[in-house]
Amino acid sequence: MSRLERHLGQLWAHEKASYGLRVFIALASAIAFGWYHGQIQAIPSLFLGIIASAIAETDDNWWGRTRSVLLSLLCFTIAAAAVVALFTYPLAFIATLALAAFGLTLLGALGERYASIGQATVTLWMYAAIALDQHQGGDRQQLLYDLLMLLAGAAWYGLLSILWTAMFANRPVRERLARLFFELGHYLQLKADLFEPVRHGNLQQRQLALAEQNVRVVQALNIAKTAIISRFGRSGRPGVQSGLYFRLYYMAQDFHERASSSHYPYEALAEAFFHSDVLYRCRRLLSLQGKACQALGEAIRLRQPFDYGERTRVAGQDLQSSLHYLRRQHNPQWARLLGSLQLLTTNLSSIERQLSEATLADTPLEGIDTRLRDSSPHTLREMATRLRQALTPGSLLFRHGVRIALALTAGYAVLTLMHAENGYWILLTILFVCRPHFGATRRRLVERIAGTLAGLGVTWALMQLFPGIGLQLLLALAAALVFFFSRTDRYLLATAAITVMALLCFNLLGDGFVLIWPRLLDTLIGCAIAAIASLLVLPDWEGRRLHKVMAQVVTAAAAYLDEVLGQYRSGMRDDLPYRIARRDMHNTDVALSVALSNMLREPGYARGNLDAGFRFLALSNTLLGYLSALGAHRAQASVVGEDPLIEQGVQLLRQSLAQLATALAQRQPAPPQEDEIAVADALEQLPEDSDEKSGLVRTQLALMLRLLPRLRAVAAEAITPVNSAPRPSPTPA
């Protein structure tokens, strides 16, 4: 294979290559149609229709994509018809737009597919209004033609999307699994940094970095699960190819549980083995396995064989040799710590074994519960229930829908009073900038303004340098591609690109230079209205609901504990209830991390005790690590049900977690439990005849009981407003 062929293969295998090529074909064919038929003025409408249809696109199989496209086109047609019918009646127009925006926002309660369709429908409504605004007092036949081209562009991209999904049905699954193993590999490398034996190191900062990466891993797991469900169903019987995808997904779940395990406080390990190489060997093996996971992701993406590598196997053998050497020292103070390191080594050995067998497609799935939880509603009754639950002032979607509706109404009033030229860009800016949370809105606002300024500057330069229509069409095509490549993760660049595309397209209809200042003014007005709406209209301050998110974390931890201990009584089963409990624990942990990130951008008076919130996140991740260690080594052990001290520790842990969750939900400090430390001390006094499983359960329960007082104290601090925290009394003279 030549170097060019290899580079082309890598380019085609890129996770955004399929999406980019699909968009390129749609946009390039729109340009070809307009150029061939001499209908250059139809190209902007075709472009906008393609953009609206692409915004509505979500990951699905060909039949699901067909239904989504048909529903999108129905909504688009209704929106365009409403704009034509109501445009000359301002009160009716804005009232209908506000109600439609509110209702379509609530569709997000039904899942990502309906949320995307709702967003795209309101976007197309704005595009249609912009088209009518351009033709006021002009040829009505030309107006209807432009609207027809708008819908034609949406239909063309929808058809192309269906055909593409049918031809490359399993490609999205491979892309999601490749991304999952890449993120998992980075997680393992960050985990390796915790084993660096450095005294007085910034352990909390490393743990927070690991928590942030855990967010990406959990999101990648959820996205991969959605892709698998879309292609193979919730409980289908996997074939040879789909069986490989299922096995890779379950393997990633197992890696995540083992990698997130914590068997002993890292400070104690660093202190005890400061003069040994064992922690360096742990760090090296974890780092190499992280690189191996990323190499596996690359192999999945390129559809190439995966070789685990001899160097990683040797690193595992070196770690075993180092442990054997320490055991021969017969140091009684190291006994429990060496047991924890042995459990870590067992985890790493399991990861090594599974990586070495990663691409064996013929490995049987017999005895494995291949069901996956699908939380999307599938019947009209389930959909109606979701919508009823969202139709309350306490719902995030309800509050955001009201906020969007009022912000659009205010924007329409401003453009009417100002008689703003191309004033509907104000409404378009409000729609894209106003987010459910103030922190996200603030970030979007800054990126929108900066991106618009950059886009306007680039457009002015391009129109000066390339006055020809043909070149400007190619530049508009390139800008549109940049927008689609960057719209999900680089909003500033996406805003700059869509600004370039819009002005170049409008330059085909008239003088694009005169639109530069109106575009900037409309963006500033729209951003100001979005910011005011986020501040004043039913604001969702994360600081004021943080206690509920923290309560969900503790509740999920209790449910995960019950599932783990249940398998010590009945035997290891990687069944659906266990995986649901484990995933719920990680999802609530991610929700807490996201809430704290949003709080960073909120005003000081609404932010709450952010420092305590991050310390609670670090402690909750530690609790998750202790639970994951129990889960990673779960197996039937009769001693768990027969040891009265273990039973006492379990009951005390359950009671403490339940009390903490209830107290957090009510925004009150949890009462202390006096027996926790005493029971933890007793659990750590291992009998001489105790087996490995009994020692593991006792040790992990003791670690969790010792963690609870700190968790309880930080929780009480986190729910206390900063300005109401007790001040130190003055020192007596």
Side-chain angles (χ1 to χ4, degrees):
M1 180 183 293
S2 67
R3 179 178 297 180
L4 177 61
E5 290 176 333
R6 185 168 62 253
H7 287 323
L8 288 175
Q10 291 176 344
L11 181 62
W12 168 244
H14 192 276
E15 59 182 333
K16 290 188 177 181
S18 177
Y19 181 53
L21 183 58
R22 187 164 65 247
V23 169
F24 174 79
I25 292 173
L27 296 173
S29 58
I31 293 177
F33 169 83
W35 191 273
Y36 180 78
H37 292 283
Q39 297 288 334
I40 299 297
Q41 292 185 339
I43 293 176
S45 296
L46 288 170
F47 267 37
L48 294 178
I50 291 169
I51 290 172
S53 186
I55 290 174
E57 185 181 45
T58 54
D59 183 38
D60 215 332
N61 57 24
W62 74 270
W63 175 237
R65 184 68 57 83
T66 301
R67 290 182 299 170
S68 296
V69 168
L70 292 176
L71 180 58
S72 299
L73 292 176
L74 175 62
C75 293
F76 292 172
T77 304
I78 294 173
V83 172
V84 172
L86 302 174
F87 191 77
T88 55
Y89 305 96
L91 291 179
F93 178 86
I94 190 55
T96 305
L97 173 59
L99 288 173
F102 174 75
L104 291 169
T105 300
L106 287 186
L107 284 182
L110 305 181
E112 182 185 1
R113 173 194 296 177
Y114 297 96
S116 299
I117 292 174
Q119 172 88 356
T121 301
V122 182
T123 302
L124 187 127
W125 184 302
M126 302 301 177
Y127 291 161
I130 290 173
L132 263 72
D133 192 41
Q134 292 288 320
H135 291 87
Q136 285 193 52
D139 186 358
R140 183 172 177 82
Q141 186 175 0
Q142 181 63 38
L143 165 65
L144 294 178
Y145 179 76
D146 285 348
L147 292 179
L148 181 62
M149 289 296 100
L150 192 66
L151 295 174
W156 162 232
Y157 184 83
L159 177 62
L160 183 62
S161 176
I162 294 170
L163 295 175
W164 201 279
T165 305
M167 289 189 297
F168 305 102
N170 293 337
R171 179 186 172 109
V173 181
R174 292 198 306 274
E175 292 172 350
R176 272 51 170 188
L177 286 172
R179 169 57 56 181
L180 170 57
F181 277 98
F182 179 84
E183 298 293 354
L184 194 56
H186 188 42
Y187 182 87
L188 283 168
Q189 290 174 318
L190 289 176
K191 182 80 173 185
D193 290 340
L194 296 179
F195 286 90
E196 186 176 8
V198 178
R199 290 171 176 160
H200 309 298
N202 195 343
L203 182 62
Q204 185 176 357
Q205 184 176 354
R206 296 182 185 183
Q207 289 175 327
L208 287 176
L210 191 66
E212 290 176 0
Q213 180 59 25
N214 187 58
V215 172
R216 300 185 186 94
V217 174
V218 174
Q219 290 173 342
L221 278 165
N222 291 334
I223 293 172
K225 183 191 72 173
T226 301
I228 291 173
I229 289 176
S230 298
R231 271 81 189 171
F232 311 120
R234 291 174 288 176
S235 56
R237 296 182 179 276
V240 174
Q241 185 64 33
S242 60
L244 174 61
Y245 296 143
F246 272 89
R247 194 164 58 78
L248 287 170
Y249 175 73
Y250 294 139
M251 186 173 74
Q253 281 191 321
D254 184 67
F255 284 10
H256 188 215
E257 183 172 53
R258 294 183 183 280
S260 57
S261 299
S262 295
H263 300 89
Y264 216 80
Y266 298 103
E267 303 96 324
L269 292 173
E271 185 66 30
F273 301 114
F274 185 78
H275 299 288
S276 170
D277 66 350
V278 67
L279 294 185
Y280 278 113
R281 297 200 181 279
C282 289
R283 185 174 185 265
R284 173 174 166 76
L285 181 55
L286 269 169
S287 180
L288 288 174
Q289 289 187 340
K291 293 177 182 178
C293 280
Q294 292 180 333
L296 174 59
E298 188 73 1
I300 294 170
R301 186 172 68 87
L302 298 175
R303 306 187 72 176
Q304 294 178 348
F306 168 69
D307 182 16
Y308 179 54
E310 189 64 26
R311 189 171 63 156
T312 311
R313 292 190 181 92
V314 172
Q317 295 170 1
D318 290 343
L319 174 58
Q320 291 283 8
S321 299
S322 183
L323 273 175
H324 290 325
Y325 175 80
L326 290 175
R327 287 189 181 280
R328 288 197 298 269
Q329 306 305 308
H330 301 292
N331 188 334
Q333 297 179 351
W334 292 351
R336 189 179 297 113
L337 296 175
L338 288 175
S340 297
L341 286 178
Q342 183 60 56
L343 291 171
L344 170 65
T345 305
T346 302
N347 273 346
L348 298 181
S349 298
S350 176
I351 292 176
E352 177 181 342
R353 176 183 55 79
Q354 294 183 71
L355 280 172
S356 63
E357 302 172 354
T359 54
L360 298 180
D362 56 350
T363 302
L365 286 170
E366 297 177 2
I368 298 178
D369 187 351
T370 58
R371 294 176 297 163
L372 293 171
R373 177 175 60 172
D374 185 2
S375 55
S376 301
H378 293 280
T379 64
L380 291 177
R381 176 174 293 183
E382 291 176 349
M383 291 181 179
T385 301
R386 290 282 186 92
L387 290 175
R388 280 198 306 270
Q389 292 172 346
L391 201 59
T392 60
S395 166
L396 184 68
L397 286 173
F398 179 91
R399 297 161 75 89
H400 182 55
V402 171
R403 193 179 306 122
I404 282 285
L406 293 179
L408 291 176
T409 303
Y412 187 78
V414 170
L415 74 89
T416 303
L417 293 173
M418 292 178 56
H419 301 287
E421 185 179 1
N422 296 291
Y424 288 90
W425 281 340
I426 295 175
L427 304 188
L428 202 60
T429 299
I430 291 171
L431 178 65
F432 283 107
V433 169
C434 197
R435 300 287 90 192
H437 298 289
F438 176 82
T441 300
R442 178 179 171 181
R443 181 175 179 179
R444 272 287 176 97
L445 185 150
V446 173
E447 292 178 337
R448 184 82 179 187
I449 294 175
T452 300
L453 285 171
L456 292 175
V458 171
T459 306
W460 180 85
L462 291 176
M463 288 192 296
Q464 293 277 7
L465 293 171
F466 307 105
I469 292 179
L471 281 174
Q472 289 190 9
L473 281 175
L474 293 178
L475 291 171
L477 172 60
L481 288 175
V482 172
F483 166 75
F484 280 107
F485 272 109
S486 58
R487 71 184 184 91
T488 57
D489 50 4
R490 297 181 181 177
Y491 189 68
L492 191 154
L493 178 60
T495 300
I498 200 67
T499 300
V500 172
M501 190 215 78
L503 290 184
L504 289 175
C505 285
F506 274 102
N507 196 46
L508 301 175
L509 309 176
D511 187 0
F513 286 101
V514 302
L515 297 178
I516 290 179
W517 288 111
R519 173 78 175 188
L520 177 59
L521 179 61
D522 293 343
T523 297
L524 294 175
I525 293 173
C527 287
I529 293 173
I532 293 171
S534 295
L535 278 170
L536 301 180
V537 181
L538 301 176
D540 284 294
W541 304 122
E542 292 284 12
R544 296 179 182 176
R545 57 185 295 272
L546 184 63
H547 63 287
K548 296 181 180 179
V549 182
M550 293 163 63
Q552 292 170 354
V553 171
V554 179
T555 301
Y560 188 20
L561 173 68
D562 286 341
E563 284 294 330
V564 170
L565 293 177
Q567 299 216 352
Y568 276 91
R569 297 185 178 94
S570 60
M572 178 179 176
R573 303 182 317 280
D574 203 22
D575 54 6
L576 183 61
Y578 177 80
R579 285 187 276 113
I580 287 176
R582 179 175 61 192
R583 188 59 42 220
D584 284 346
M585 178 65 196
H586 283 283
N587 283 335
T588 55
D589 193 66
V590 166
L592 176 60
S593 181
V594 171
L596 291 170
S597 297
N598 286 330
M599 283 174 62
L600 285 170
R601 302 183 185 93
E602 292 181 350
Y605 65 85
R607 187 176 295 174
N609 198 327
L610 190 60
D611 180 64
F614 275 108
R615 281 187 281 122
F616 184 91
L617 175 64
L619 292 175
S620 69
N621 267 268
T622 302
L623 176 63
L624 174 58
Y626 294 154
L627 286 169
S628 297
L630 276 176
H633 301 286
R634 65 193 187 279
Q636 189 168 7
S638 58
V639 69
V640 173
E642 297 173 356
D643 189 334
L645 192 56
I646 289 180
E647 187 64 27
Q648 181 184 359
V650 169
Q651 293 301 326
L652 182 58
L653 184 58
R654 282 175 176 159
Q655 179 183 354
S656 297
L657 290 173
Q659 287 181 347
L660 179 57
T662 302
L664 282 170
Q666 298 173 355
R667 203 163 191 171
Q668 296 176 354
Q673 294 288 336
E674 298 179 356
D675 297 337
E676 288 170 348
I677 303 302
V679 173
D681 290 338
L683 284 168
E684 289 179 340
Q685 303 302 317
L686 301 179
E688 293 183 359
D689 58 346
S690 64
D691 58 13
E692 181 181 346
K693 291 300 177 186
S694 175
L696 168 66
V697 175
R698 278 172 163 259
T699 299
Q700 297 305 118
L701 286 176
L703 289 171
M704 285 184 275
L705 288 171
R706 292 190 184 280
L707 184 70
L708 280 174
R710 295 166 57 198
L711 195 67
R712 196 180 293 114
V714 172
E717 189 178 345
I719 63 176
T720 303
V722 177
N723 55 6
S724 65
R727 297 181 179 180
S729 58
T731 304

